């Protein structure tokens, strides 16, 4: 099962080696992180990032090994944006000459870059960005300027204190004409003393949600006061400005820049499976340790994991972690396919890939954020302790619901694609994840044929149910939109319905990709059978949760919905014997989990007791301030009322 989760034996061995390297290095200790003040916390993060880079250089780690090392260090840092956004953007949008100049500097950490797109006043609406880049043909330079307070760059990770350079997105103005938003490489700080350069105002935006959490990251604010940069620091792979001040498109198709977006969003989906699996691992192990009620004749109390109420909340999250892992695998393939097609000037699959990655980013990050919080609740009162690992995990993860596209906005983008697909059915055959729309007549007409609970263990019956739901909701939205004279007014009015239709489409993708995974050769005794059970749990849980959709579109009868729930309860009993083995297959070290409740050895209560005494508040028996503030109250003399 560990191989199935990792994707291959080679990946398992590589990730395991990096996880142990980090776990056994005292520099990467993180249990005291939530107790540090902001300055000390940030300095500690800089120390860890520097030590990590030293290991990468000294051990001559490959790019893949370095990626796993940074993952297991498990601390948001400026390096995340440097390697995850700054470098990929230059690779995707820079000319060969620009890549030759900037990539060696970035890859050797001679410069530190961040991705400065979001502003104080604009996030999702990229075309609404206010920062300007005005070309001065006489000086052959761009003038980067922040004309308003709301044009201040706001949120970029690594910007606040660490970055020397930024990839700044600004409104390109040439000869008084606006030519869209483009990227510019701008130096922010001196490479000698790291002080801000003239015209640059830069700093950190302040404390964020959580104790340590994402406060290890220096999310920044940045303003420009007519800062000049050379013309060749505009990323010009797709669009160019000549020395004479002429704006022109290159031979490289503009659609190529979407390849970077597809790449980033597929990594977010993979990261969702990792974050959710960590929370599920903690909650599952602790649910096996914790006992409450049910003692008979003085015997042990019942393990919490044996209660159906616990199983019905926990096991769907376990199944979701695996589902997101496998759809993430498929998205990696999709990205490579799109990349190859783009290089061959084939843009036919780009709209679908964009909609697919946007929708799955939204679906998986929302479910993961909610799932982490549910796991905290599943751990009872102890889940509220920082030492459980869950509050910190939640605080670090939830920004994923907003960055790289607000989740609701992304679902509305998916909705536009779905509605367009429906409108073109008369003359254009849908492909890929929308291929089922080509059978819309059948899906609209035929209803569910399930007669027994066991019938729900038929992959074909499950896929057809999700296809019918998605198709009928999409068609219903299309018909409603047709009633509006102004399509945009209709889109705004029906936005909530359109979001629900997008969710139905995206859930179909995840379910179908999980089922496709099971059609592959999966080695290991009992591995495939265990994954099949999880697949049915995931699908039938969604069916039960959203049964209102299935009933409203007329595909299911109430009886069939009840049969699905009956089968779901049976499946929980089949997951139970292997629950611990399934989370152990994630192969996470105790260091990476960062949780006393999720310890591999199950030694929870003694370690909780020890951790309590390590809190700085327990350094003395009498707290600082007691004699000054509390004792006078205790010693006060009360006077009788004069009334």
């Amino acid at each position: 099962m560990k191989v199935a989760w990792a994707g291959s034996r080679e990946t398992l061995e590589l990730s395991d080696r990096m996880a142990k390297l980090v776990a056994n290095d005292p520099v990467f200790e993180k249990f005291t992180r939530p107790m540090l003040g902001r300055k000390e916390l940030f300095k500690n993060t800089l120390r860890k990032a520097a030590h990590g880079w030293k290991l990468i250089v000294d051990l001559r780690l490959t790019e893949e090994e370095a990626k796993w090392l940074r993952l297991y260090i498990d601390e948001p840092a400026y390096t995340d944006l440097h390697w995850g956004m700054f470098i990929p953007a230059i690779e995707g949008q820079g000319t060969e000459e620009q890549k030759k100049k900037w990539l060696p500097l970035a890859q050797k950490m001679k410069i530190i870059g961040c991705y400065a797109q979001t502003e104080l006043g604009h996030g999702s609406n990229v075309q609404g960005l206010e920062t300007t880049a005005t070309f001065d043909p006489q000086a052959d330079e761009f003038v980067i300027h922040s004309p308003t307070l709301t044009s201040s760059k706001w949120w970029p990770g690594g910007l606040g204190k660490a970055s020397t350079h930024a990839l700044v997105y600004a409104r390109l103005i040439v000869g008084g004409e606006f030519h869209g938003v483009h990227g510019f490489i701008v130096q922010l700080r001196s490479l000698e003393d790291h002080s801000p350069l003239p015209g640059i105002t830069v700093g950190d935006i302040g404390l964020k949600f959580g104790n340590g959490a994402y406060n290890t990251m220096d999310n920044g604010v940045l303003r420009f006061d007519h800062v000049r940069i050379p013309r060749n620091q505009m990323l010009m792979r797709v669009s160019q400005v000549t020395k004479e001040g002429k704006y022109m498109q290159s031979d490289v198709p503009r659609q190529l820049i979407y390849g970077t977006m597809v790449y980033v969003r597929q990594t977010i989906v993979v990261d969702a499976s990792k974050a959710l699996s960590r929370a599920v691992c903690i909650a599952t192990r602790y649910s096996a340790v914790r006992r409450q009620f049910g003692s008979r004749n003085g015997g042990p109390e019942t393990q919490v994991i044996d209660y159906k109420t616990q199983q019905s909340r926990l096991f769907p999250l376990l199944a979701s972690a695996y589902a997101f892992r496998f759809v993430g695998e498929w998205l990696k393939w999709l990205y490579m396919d799109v990349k190859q097609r783009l290089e061959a000037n084939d843009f036919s699959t780009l709209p679908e890939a964009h909609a697919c990655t946007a929708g799955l980013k939204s679906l998986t990050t929302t479910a993961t954020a909610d799932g982490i919080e549910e796991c905290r609740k599943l751990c009872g009162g102890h889940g509220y302790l920082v030492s459980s690992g869950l509050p910190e995990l939640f605080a670090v993860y939830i920004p994923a619901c907003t960055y790289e596209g607000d989740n609701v906005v992304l679902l509305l983008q998916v909705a536009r694609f779905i509605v367009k697909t429906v409108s073109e059915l008369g003359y254009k055959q849908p492909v890929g994840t929308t291929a089922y729309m080509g059978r819309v007549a059948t899906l609209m007409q035929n209803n569910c044929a399930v007669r027994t609970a066991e019938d729900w263990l038929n992959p074909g019956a499950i896929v057809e149910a999700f296809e019918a739901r998605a198709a009928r909701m999409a068609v219903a939205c299309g018909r409603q939109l047709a009633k509006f004279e102004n399509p945009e007014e209709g889109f705004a009015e029906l936005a909530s319905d359109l979001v629900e239709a997008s969710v139905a489409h995206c859930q179909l993708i995840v379910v179908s990709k999980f089922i496709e995974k099971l059609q592959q050769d999966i080695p290991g005794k009992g591995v495939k059978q265990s994954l099949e059970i999880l697949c049915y749990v995931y699908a039938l849980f969604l069916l039960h949760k959203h049964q209102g959709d299935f009933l409203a579109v007329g595909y299911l009868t109430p009886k069939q919905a009840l049969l699905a729930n009956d089968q779901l309860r049976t499946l929980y009993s089949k997951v139970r014997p292997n629950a611990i083995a399934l989370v152990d297959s994630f192969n996470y070290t105790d260091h990476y989990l960062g949780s006393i409740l999720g310890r591999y050895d199950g030694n929870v209560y003694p370690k909780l007791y020890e951790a309590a005494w390590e809190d700085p508040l327990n350094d003395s028996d009498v707290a600082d301030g007691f004699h000054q503030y509390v004792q006078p109250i205790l010693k006060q003399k009360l006077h009788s009322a004069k009334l």
Side-chain angles (χ1 to χ4, degrees), residues 342-360:
L342 290 177
E343 290 170 353
N345 287 345
D346 176 3
F347 312 121
S348 60
T349 62
L350 189 58
E352 188 225 346
H354 176 263
C356 190
T357 52
L360 290 176

Side-chain angles (χ1 to χ4, degrees), residues 287-307 605:
S287 294
V289 169
R290 186 73 168 176
R291 292 177 179 271
Q292 291 289 292
F293 307 110
S295 174
R296 295 184 180 180
N297 301 320
E301 295 176 88
T302 302
Q303 289 172 282
V304 171
I305 199 171
D306 287 326
Y307 288 107
Y605 297 132

Side-chain angles (χ1 to χ4, degrees), residues 425-577:
L425 286 176
Y427 57 89
K428 187 176 181 181
Q429 184 66 24
V431 296
T433 55
T434 57
Y436 69 97
M437 293 282 193
R439 294 179 282 105
V440 69
T442 302
L443 293 171
M444 295 291 290
Q445 184 176 357
N446 295 349
N447 292 330
C448 183
V450 164
R451 296 182 180 276
T452 67
E454 289 70 27
D455 289 345
W456 280 117
L457 299 182
N458 178 352
I462 288 175
V463 171
E464 185 175 297
F466 278 84
E467 286 179 343
R469 170 207 180 200
R472 295 183 187 196
M473 292 176 74
V475 169
C477 285
R479 288 172 177 170
Q480 288 291 100
L481 283 170
K483 297 177 182 179
F484 289 82
E485 290 185 11
N486 185 327
E488 287 304 311
E489 286 183 9
F491 204 86
E493 183 66 25
L494 299 173
S496 296
D497 296 337
L498 290 162
V499 164
E500 291 176 4
S502 296
V503 168
H505 173 69
C506 294
Q507 287 177 344
L508 165 62
I509 295 174
V510 180
V511 168
S512 61
K513 295 308 169 187
F514 203 153
I515 289 172
E516 286 177 18
K517 174 71 176 181
L518 296 174
Q519 294 168 352
Q520 300 174 12
D521 180 36
I522 302 176
K525 185 179 179 181
V527 172
K528 194 167 192 174
Q529 291 81 353
S530 294
L531 290 177
E532 284 175 346
I533 292 170
L534 289 178
C535 180
Y536 291 131
V537 167
Y538 179 72
L540 294 182
F541 170 76
L542 289 180
L543 192 150
H544 176 65
K545 181 180 179 181
H546 298 279
Q547 62 181 297
D549 289 349
F550 292 91
L551 293 169
V553 299
Y555 182 76
L556 289 188
T557 65
K559 172 68 173 176
Q560 289 167 329
L562 287 172
L563 290 174
N565 198 37
D566 289 344
Q567 185 56 247
L568 188 57
R569 280 196 303 272
T570 302
L571 288 168
Y572 291 153
S573 298
K574 293 182 179 180
V575 172
R576 170 62 185 96

Side-chain angles (χ1 to χ4, degrees), residues 302-379:
T302 302
Q303 289 172 282
V304 171
I305 199 171
D306 287 326
Y307 288 107
K308 285 294 181 181
T309 49
Q310 193 82 350
Q311 293 177 5
S312 65
R313 296 162 63 198
L314 178 59
F315 292 166
L317 296 175
L318 173 58
S320 297
Y322 275 90
F324 296 167
R325 178 72 184 87
F326 297 141
V327 81
E329 273 184 10
W330 172 74
L331 278 179
K332 283 185 178 179
W333 170 85
L334 180 69
Y335 166 67
M336 295 305 298
D337 180 67
V338 168
K339 185 179 179 183
Q340 290 171 4
R341 288 174 181 270
L342 290 177
E343 290 170 353
N345 287 345
D346 176 3
F347 312 121
S348 60
T349 62
L350 189 58
E352 188 225 346
H354 176 263
C356 190
T357 52
L360 290 176
K361 182 272 178 184
S362 175
L363 182 80
T364 57
T365 55
T366 297
T368 296
D370 293 344
I372 294 170
E373 170 62 4
E374 186 68 8
C375 285
R376 183 193 66 78
K377 295 174 184 175
L378 284 163
C379 291

Side-chain angles (χ1 to χ4, degrees), residues 152-299:
S152 306
K153 294 300 178 183
W154 190 276
W155 276 116
L159 170 63
K161 295 295 176 183
S163 293
T164 61
H165 290 68
L167 182 51
V168 176
Y169 283 84
R171 302 172 68 83
L172 174 61
I173 300 171
V174 181
E177 290 187 28
F178 169 54
H179 291 281
V181 173
H182 294 264
F184 301 82
I185 297 175
V186 183
Q187 184 173 346
L188 307 177
R189 294 178 170 97
S190 164
L191 295 179
E192 298 301 321
D193 62 6
H194 205 61
S195 60
L197 296 180
I200 301 285
T201 301
V202 63
D204 188 272
I205 62 172
L207 281 171
K208 300 170 287 283
F209 188 85
N211 295 63
Y214 221 83
N215 289 301
T216 57
M217 179 72 81
D218 54 328
N219 297 92
V221 53
L222 170 66
R223 288 183 58 77
F224 300 99
D225 184 4
H226 299 91
V227 174
R228 290 180 171 270
I229 62 170
R231 177 175 56 86
N232 62 11
Q233 287 181 210
M234 168 184 163
L235 293 184
M236 294 193 188
R237 185 182 184 189
V238 175
S239 305
Q240 300 170 354
V241 174
T242 66
K243 187 173 183 179
E244 295 73 29
K246 182 180 179 182
Y247 176 79
M248 55 190 291
Q249 298 286 339
S250 70
D251 295 333
V252 178
R254 185 170 181 79
Q255 291 93 330
L256 271 178
I257 63 176
Y258 290 105
T260 303
M261 186 187 299
V262 172
Y263 167 77
V264 171
R265 286 178 179 163
Q266 68 89 13
T267 60
I268 292 174
V269 173
V270 173
D271 289 344
S273 72
K274 291 171 184 171
L276 182 56
S277 60
R278 286 174 70 178
V280 167
C281 184
I282 294 167
T284 302
R285 286 176 176 173
Y286 181 62
S287 294
V289 169
R290 186 73 168 176
R291 292 177 179 271
Q292 291 289 292
F293 307 110
S295 174
R296 295 184 180 180
N297 301 320

